[in-house]
Amino acid sequence: MTKLLEDAVKVVRGLPADTQDDIARAMLALAEVEAGEAAVTLSDTERQAIAISRQAAANGEFATDAQVAAVWAKHGL
């Protein structure tokens, strides 16, 4: 296990059980995709959101450090 993954697991251990389960499901889904065992089916809304995000990134539109810190603080991280 990498150091980054170990650090992430330590943080997740401190979260509520339902949040831990959500994160575990996401990790398992990602691992399956990486292993070629499953495909993620996106809705039209999800595809549109990704396209918007990619365009924003291409335009150099990123959250400021203050905005990122505010989101982390909002969620107690």
Side-chain angles (χ1 to χ4, degrees), residues 11-73:
V11 171
V12 171
R13 281 190 178 122
L15 299 174
D18 59 330
T19 302
Q20 290 182 26
D21 286 346
D22 290 342
I23 292 169
R25 279 189 284 280
M27 288 176 64
L28 290 169
L30 289 169
E32 289 173 355
V33 168
E34 288 295 319
E37 298 175 11
V40 175
T41 303
L42 299 176
S43 69
D44 289 340
T45 302
E46 291 167 325
R47 289 180 192 279
Q48 183 179 19
I50 291 169
I52 290 168
S53 294
R54 285 184 173 168
Q55 186 59 52
N59 293 339
E61 299 169 8
F62 298 99
T64 65
D65 289 345
Q67 290 169 321
V68 172
V71 170
W72 284 103

